Amino acid sequence: MPRISLKIVGASGQGINSIGAIIAKGLKRSGYCVFGYREYPSLIKGGHASYQLDVSNERICSTETKVDVLVALNHHGLELNMEELKQGGIVLHVTPGWQFPEHHRKLIAERSLRIIYFPVDDMLNRLGARAILSNVLLTAFVWSMLDQDIDALKSLVGETFAKKKALLELNIRCIDEGYSFVDPEQGAISVALPPPDKGFAGHLLITGSQAMGLGAVHAGVRLYAGYPMTPSSPLLSFIAELENKTHMVVKQAEDEITAAQIVSGAMYMGTRALTATSGVGFDLMSETLSLNAMIENPTVFVLAQRPGPATGLPTWTAQGSLLQAANCSAGEFTRCVISVSNSQDAFDLMPVAFNLAEQYQISVIVLTDKQIAEALYTQHPYDQEKTEIDRGRLVVDPEKLKLLKSSDRFNPHAQGGVSLRWLPGSRAATYCAQGDEHNSIGAVDESSLNTKLQIEKRLRKCHGLKAGLPAPHLSIGGRSVETSDWIDTGDEIELLAIGWGSTGDVFQDVMRSDELRGRKIAYLHFTYLWPLRTQELQRLAKRSKHIVLVEQNYQGQLGMLIRMECGLDIPDKILKYDGRPFFYDELLSSVIERCASTSENEKTSPGLEHAGSPS
Amino acid sequence: MPRISLKIVGASGQGINSIGAIIAKGLKRSGYCVFGYREYPSLIKGGHASYQLDVSNERICSTETKVDVLVALNHHGLELNMEELKQGGIVLHVTPGWQFPEHHRKLIAERSLRIIYFPVDDMLNRLGARAILSNVLLTAFVWSMLDQDIDALKSLVGETFAKKKALLELNIRCIDEGYSFVDPEQGAISVALPPPDKGFAGHLLITGSQAMGLGAVHAGVRLYAGYPMTPSSPLLSFIAELENKTHMVVKQAEDEITAAQIVSGAMYMGTRALTATSGVGFDLMSETLSLNAMIENPTVFVLAQRPGPATGLPTWTAQGSLLQAANCSAGEFTRCVISVSNSQDAFDLMPVAFNLAEQYQISVIVLTDKQIAEALYTQHPYDQEKTEIDRGRLVVDPEKLKLLKSSDRFNPHAQGGVSLRWLPGSRAATYCAQGDEHNSIGAVDESSLNTKLQIEKRLRKCHGLKAGLPAPHLSIGGRSVETSDWIDTGDEIELLAIGWGSTGDVFQDVMRSDELRGRKIAYLHFTYLWPLRTQELQRLAKRSKHIVLVEQNYQGQLGMLIRMECGLDIPDKILKYDGRPFFYDELLSSVIERCASTSENEKTSPGLEHAGSPS
Amino acid sequence: MNIALQTQPPALSDYYSETKCIWCDGCGNYGIWTAVKYSLVELNLYPWQVCLCYDVGCNGNGSDKIEGYRFHGLHGRVIPFAAGAKLANMKVPVIAFGGDGATFSEGIGHLIHGVRSNYPITFVLHNNTNFGLTTGQASSLTPQGQAMNTSPNGIPEHTLASMDLVFSLNPTFVARGFSGDIKLMTRILKAAIQHRGFAFVEMLQACPTYNHFATHEYLLDRYFDANADGHDPGNLQQARALATQVQDRIACGILYQRRDAPDFYSRLIPRQGVETTCVEEVRRYDVSEYWKELV
Amino acid sequence: MNIALQTQPPALSDYYSETKCIWCDGCGNYGIWTAVKYSLVELNLYPWQVCLCYDVGCNGNGSDKIEGYRFHGLHGRVIPFAAGAKLANMKVPVIAFGGDGATFSEGIGHLIHGVRSNYPITFVLHNNTNFGLTTGQASSLTPQGQAMNTSPNGIPEHTLASMDLVFSLNPTFVARGFSGDIKLMTRILKAAIQHRGFAFVEMLQACPTYNHFATHEYLLDRYFDANADGHDPGNLQQARALATQVQDRIACGILYQRRDAPDFYSRLIPRQGVETTCVEEVRRYDVSEYWKELV
Ligand SMILES: Cc1ncc(C[n+]2csc(CCOP(=O)(O)OP(=O)(O)O)c2C)c(N)n1
Ligand SMILES: Cc1ncc(C[n+]2csc(CCOP(=O)(O)OP(=O)(O)O)c2C)c(N)n1
Ligand code: SF4
Ligand code: SF4
Ligand SMILES: [Mg+2]
Ligand SMILES: [Mg+2]
């Protein structure tokens, strides 16, 4: 798979994101698959940030640690990011008279790096333009390096300034100027891109948060209440930006508890409502999770992961909230924990989550993470036809409503533990959604028999839920396969990797790498995390020479749940817990290492303690 | 083991507790071991409540479902509790002209029950006493039935009214009157108690909450902040009642979050401080748990379990918060979860918890439950000499303080992950207790390397902690044994039961029952629940014909943690989740059943789904 | 119970529940409970038309002693839940009930933001000046000198001036009733339920078991109907003074009402002109229009 | 850093931190940060003698830019943590810092109960009228018309009248500073730290990045030192009026101070006459005396 990478670095707030976004969009329209990745510290301005684009003419959804082009908007980038350049890489910078230190000069020589000083201040002066336009100049020059059509860029920029004619003109002049710049020393420079695949031109460039927001609207969510907390805030912002179009009720609540309660009240009343938070914010919502279990109120919570504990690393990524999601909250009850993996299922899983919540009258916790929330995906337009809205055992028909008895609401003998549900305001017998232990009509009943029956009712749902959940997704050598086809037949599996969430896409890229293409590497991806379906895993495990767990946390939390569920222990783990996502090349080498060791040595590698953390 | 049981039933607020408490104290002083158990609904007055005393001349710490004497303060008791009487049992009631329904008349005949109507209103009239004194009359009559010395009762009552002479006199007259009552139909009645053991006379009669409160004061806790929530409230009340004697700072906070934060602030400053809550209250505190992990602030949280979810059954018992305690809260970090089992370790474990917290600079969650919190134990006076206050790596010596560098505070290379700690106000280099990811001095540092080092620092503590935790406690046939003596040698074990918390004492009574005395039944009791030490269990399991998990929750939560930790699955479970504790006789028969099936059939019993819940 | 097609106007008996009341003898909750039923009936509302949301506390133990669509939630959280319910379905009147403990301790943030948001709901404060259900601890409204469970020396904090606090929040409806005067409470509740915006209704509630200072008799002696005395609820200054000065006599009735302030829902630009409720709008939406600019 | 035995009185340089400030250019936090250092030095306090507690927000990003025993906690929770710290060791001055988001949204209950408890701490509100760190969402103090991140139509709630709220809580110290006047802030902070009881100090803080309404210039134009104008902090009525009426000019300085109200700790009966701090009292206690009545 041919791939090139381009990284823009500078201070937060300097315009890195706008350069990245425009180039990404331009390249996508030209027929490239672009994957955008942002790193930035938890502060408003200043601090070292980056926007990296990994580009291919095939599907790509990972980031490399090594880059082909580095665009440094300030000298910090020259200090901090030089090591990341590949052989023959290009460094584009704007710092006049910059002297590289000795070790960088060595590096430049060794790797035959080409250094381009882009005299942005001179250009601005010449054009009489304000500093903010330096980004346009730079973008245009990068665009020319990529051998892309100048008019495509102009029309892109034109869309932004459609209504501001004067501004547009100046922008166009900057584009011309930047595009035509030629470095006096290096001469014309061009970065070779593979031939485009026009299929990508009509794709969306979308973040996981936007995808999730669209999915939520698509799923019929009519009320959103949230409290800002990175990385769940982009979802709130996106939903709020759309509010005048979607006509949704959007409430920025006074805290997470409030957001969770508002959403619960709205779901109780019968609409679809959503909230999202992160880490300690979810601790605050866990009280409400417990409430909804008792009153059997369907709800969906998005839990956007970032590294903890406490405030932790607000703008970085992790898969550390799985145990929290599966076990937090007072009392025992049925819940469902699922995780999105990319912009495709960030969209697709929103209706799924609401359907599950309503079918079982439970809470569904949808995990995402900072990486998915803020990464930029090249996404095929969504198929909206496949979505069905399933509201479970909700009674709305007036004739059926009339026949209801109060005791239908929490009837402990209901099939699968799921009793009929109808909404306040329905012309029917009424009931109490009772947070104390209660009988079938919702009256408090603390007797031994009733308690036992009702707990069993609420926990019985877990069986139906678990039985109905899809199997984990298996791919072999980077191609999706029917899990059932591989469980008992086919070749022996060289390496079976287990993962979830944002890890999945990176692993797909790794399997499709030139190095590993054609190898019998299987990757089993869990979207449905609790209750946990392990039968496929257990059978695949028997046919695999080596098993490895790939997670972005310290403990190997999915591994812990797997063991809790079926006893299977996976001693070899690729764990990463430094706030960064898995990078393509580092994961690739970790996997290659395992493949090598599998061939040499049938023994499983050492456990958690010594598990190589790839960074 | 000879045991008799006496149950007082009536409306909440009718005085059941005062009758129970006086008789308990009197019997204990006479040389009996008394175990008191209360049931009451979650409302202030009215509702059906009970106070049961189980009495023996040997150590006893469980309740029977069947009673020898029923004292019914209203007719509801006659309606609801008749089935509970043993053969030859006595019913004492105060409802004039009560007509038992047919099925009860049959019961009375079959079980040869003796029914005594105690004409309390006539007596009150005769004495010119107010209704409240009916309790004294009844108490005195029960006292006479138990063949106990009238003067002992008088002096007990005298203690209460020492300062209210007039009241005392009337009380004494009531005692005389009640004591001398003879039922015209039944004649003099006496309930045979075994010979007393004077060793009990000097014991305390204490609830688990009082024990824990004393333990906390003993451990040097100088600040208590709490928010009322059953069953944690009795601890708050007890600490508050003592405040003028202990000179502690006691704060009833505005909510659980506040209580947790106040306590955390106080611990950060360097005192020992405590809070307690229950269920959803702990959900609210979990945010603070996460905070303390990041700033490595030692803290102790008492989590008093009641059935959930939501408000659940506020005044009933459960062991349902284990997974919550072990897994709630944002981020990955080292924590310690321990559980008290009775009034002995409710006291003993308080200094232990604070020592662990300070040694490892972590949070310790101490589980208790409604049963332990409110049951009345006959308790040997505590040995206070064995307690040592260990504050871990706290630096207080002025000379040593002077040598400290800021970077000592969160030095990631500190041995075992535990770095030096010193207190605000110390004349030393200062640091920041930083809730964001930070470097050794507590400055924010989001770099990959630092993040990795610091997470490893905080998680590394888990190894030392785990290695240092005591082994689970083994008893065979009701006698404590050295776990190590039994692990690999000795006879094969007929039945290995695994339990924790309040289950333990009941199981001890069961093993000492006449039916099971001498059998090779082993009971492994876990006080230290997370991290979980399983090596003893794994080895014992190999030597056991049958293993059974005994827990008061639906899922078998300890079983889940055991499997997560070591893969061992315990399919046979005795689970109870109706809000009631294990009762002696029901647990006994569950165990006898297993023993029988063990002899017959080596196969393990069916799993969770069909596990017999004993009530 | 099961519902037949009602042809009669709603009657008190429609609100009758088979579940027995369990409050202490003399508890003020009985009176409030009765007044709630009267007001719903007098407003011509059937049980299936209303949503009653209860906090946790003795007051919340009323959740299963009445008919209607009810909710009994978590301690301190009733206001945001009720607000969410209402915003989802503007056609259903939503009434929330909570104790002084819930409202001024655990949930005080919700009260403050509820009032400032001017949610279109009624909130009924059962003010018995203590934590009843947890057996008589001090609340923020307990007088400072009073020894209570867990505060044997009385509370060291200032007692909250709750009405001054509420008036600092720009309320649009403030009323005070007394659990001993059902007629007055009924009048207040009717007005509150009809108010468009957040109606804050304090009910001074006798708690013979734990509140031995502001007893039924104490309140009976001091309370009076300010509206009967000619107080105009439109007069903010006077309302605030009446509400806060309770040393000698305690002004009850509708103390303040502002009718021109739009409620929260009316202020939502995206909902302008939308006739349906969020509940009715649940369906699959085509979102391709929103992703156009991402292509 | 490592501490040598100081023989010099504390100097500004003692508070110097190697960690670089990261606030935006023109951010008011720079000024507040400077005034805090001045006030501590002028009060003759060494870094090791003080405890500085920071909430989460742009303001909290100051936690590692100064010396002293510091704490940077959870969003909205700084007040109870600081109170716990103080109650444990009354010898250490404790100063808490928090943003308007933290203080009037997530943590408003803590503010209210902090003021009514009259904890002996100083609380400094960094009021930039928005959620800075999370990129400019509205706080409860953002003016209603203002479009913000997540509220493109402006907020539908009323803007909180924060000072009226604070005055309803029976405060014992209320002051207001402006991030553009370091001298004034220093004077206020010194008085606040010396106050016995809860000192509520609002700092009007410029946030050039997200607050485009109450800018540095806007505040500069309107603020004035009320004490210099002769305002007597003992006058409650006048203080409340000055604090709440901010349409034209914004009164700064020490607006209100009551010196006769005992602080929380002084009101604790069990601590009367106890000379030691809770920190000093940690040891094994013999509790047999307390179990006597259980025998
Ligand atoms: C999160 C949480 N904390 C504490 C409790 C325990 N609790 C139940 S009711 C209550 C106080 C009740 O006081 P109030 O709100 O005044 O109601 P009242 O009983 O007086 O009517 C408390 C503290 C709880 N249920 N949940
Ligand atoms: C529990 C929780 N919720 C949300 C957040 C995200 N968060 C961090 S700071 C902040 C608001 C900051 O506003 P403010 O307190 O006014 O401080 P400023 O940044 O303006 O100084 C929020 C919502 C968090 N860290 N924790
Ligand atoms: S405790 Fe008070 S509020 Fe609760 S039921 Fe009894 S009298 Fe009513
Ligand atoms: S966003 Fe505002 S408050 Fe935050 S650092 Fe920038 S200017 Fe200061
Ligand atoms: Mg109350
Ligand atoms: Mg702010």
Side-chain angles (χ1 to χ4, degrees), chain A residues 229 278-281 283 306-314 318 320-321 324 554-555 577, chain B residues 286-297 328-335 434-438 451 454-456 458-459 461, chain D residues 56 72-74:
Chain A
M229 183 157 180
S278 176
V280 288
D283 286 337
R306 72 190 208 189
T311 307
L313 292 98
S321 304
Q324 180 192 12
Y554 180 90
Q555 300 175 94
Y577 41 84
Chain B
S286 57
E287 189 198 28
T288 304
L289 192 69
S290 181
L291 169 69
N292 285 324
M294 193 55 133
I295 63 172
E296 306 196 42
N297 192 22
C328 71
S329 236
E332 297 181 286
F333 53 86
T334 302
R335 73 183 87 189
Q434 178 62 262
D436 290 35
E437 192 55 276
H438 49 261
T451 302
Q454 288 289 344
I455 290 184
E456 286 166 357
R458 293 188 297 265
L459 271 300
K461 297 177 184 180
Chain D
V56 174
H72 186 197
L74 295 177

Side-chain angles (χ1 to χ4, degrees), chain D residues 249-280:
Chain D
R249 297 179 69 209
I250 305 174
C252 291
I254 299 166
L255 301 177
Y256 180 63
Q257 182 165 19
R258 187 180 154 192
R259 295 173 198 270
D260 60 340
D263 68 66
F264 182 84
Y265 192 84
S266 316
R267 285 191 48 87
L268 294 174
I269 308 289
R271 301 299 294 178
Q272 304 299 320
V274 178
E275 294 295 326
T276 48
T277 69
C278 291
V279 170
E280 293 160 332

Side-chain angles (χ1 to χ4, degrees), chain B residues 554-555 569-575 594 604-613:
Chain B
Y554 179 89
Q555 299 176 93
D569 184 33
I570 307 175
D572 190 19
K573 300 177 177 67
I574 300 175
L575 300 176
R594 259 98 189 157
T604 44
S605 311
L608 173 59
E609 220 30 56
H610 319 270
S613 157

Side-chain angles (χ1 to χ4, degrees), chain B residues 249-515:
Chain B
V249 173
V250 180
K251 168 83 185 176
Q252 182 190 313
E254 62 268 21
D255 60 24
E256 288 83 355
I257 296 176
T258 308
Q261 288 283 332
I262 288 178
V263 158
S264 302
M267 291 292 293
Y268 163 67
M269 210 61 162
T271 189
R272 286 187 161 186
L274 184 64
T275 188
T277 186
S278 176
V280 288
F282 195 68
D283 286 337
L284 295 168
M285 291 193 181
S286 57
E287 189 198 28
T288 304
L289 192 69
S290 181
L291 169 69
N292 285 324
M294 193 55 133
I295 63 172
E296 306 196 42
N297 192 22
T299 28
V300 176
F301 297 88
V302 170
L303 169 46
Q305 300 166 97
R306 72 190 208 190
T311 307
L313 294 99
T315 58
W316 301 86
T317 200
Q319 299 181 320
S321 304
L322 179 53
L323 290 177
Q324 180 192 12
N327 293 296
C328 71
S329 236
E332 297 181 286
F333 53 86
T334 302
R335 73 183 87 189
C336 183
V337 181
I338 66 183
S339 172
V340 305
S341 312
N342 51 35
S343 62
Q344 180 67 49
D345 65 5
F347 181 90
D348 290 343
L349 288 174
M350 292 317 292
V352 169
F354 276 93
N355 288 354
L356 284 172
E358 297 209 328
Q359 282 160 0
Y360 293 97
Q361 299 174 28
I362 58 170
S363 289
V364 177
I365 301 162
V366 182
L367 298 173
T368 179
D369 60 31
K370 183 264 166 184
Q371 172 67 355
I372 298 171
E374 302 200 348
L376 195 67
Y377 292 88
T378 302
Q379 169 66 49
H380 191 288
Y382 297 103
D383 172 8
Q384 298 189 85
E385 289 310 312
K386 65 181 177 197
T387 303
E388 281 184 43
I389 305 289
D390 181 347
R391 308 203 64 188
R393 306 195 70 186
L394 184 68
V395 181
V396 288
D397 175 37
E399 288 310 310
K400 292 200 179 126
L401 281 168
K402 253 190 270 167
L403 300 176
L404 291 169
K405 299 183 299 301
S406 298
S407 60
D408 289 326
R409 179 64 193 101
F410 300 110
N411 174 9
H413 307 292
Q415 209 200 330
V418 184
S419 40
L420 296 176
R421 171 173 164 242
W422 61 104
L423 305 177
S426 305
R427 190 159 189 160
T430 65
Y431 58 83
C432 182
Q434 178 62 262
D436 290 35
E437 192 55 276
H438 49 261
N439 63 14
S440 58
I441 67 170
V444 176
D445 186 344
E446 297 181 332
S447 70
S448 164
L449 180 66
N450 178 71
T451 302
K452 198 164 168 298
L453 280 177
Q454 288 289 344
I455 290 184
E456 286 166 357
K457 171 193 198 293
R458 293 188 297 265
L459 271 300
R460 193 157 72 237
K461 297 177 184 180
C462 197
H463 306 304
L465 171 64
K466 192 171 173 185
L469 290 180
H473 177 260
L474 182 67
S475 42
I476 308 263
R479 285 183 310 112
S480 288
V481 292
E482 277 297 310
T483 312
S484 53
D485 287 354
W486 275 81
I487 282 192
D488 304 299
T489 58
D491 293 346
E492 189 176 50
I493 294 165
E494 189 175 345
L495 178 70
L496 172 63
I498 318 290
W500 60 285
S502 57
T503 308
D505 273 13
V506 188
F507 208 95
Q508 295 293 348
D509 279 6
V510 164
M511 285 193 289
R512 285 195 303 261
S513 68
D514 295 340
E515 290 86 340

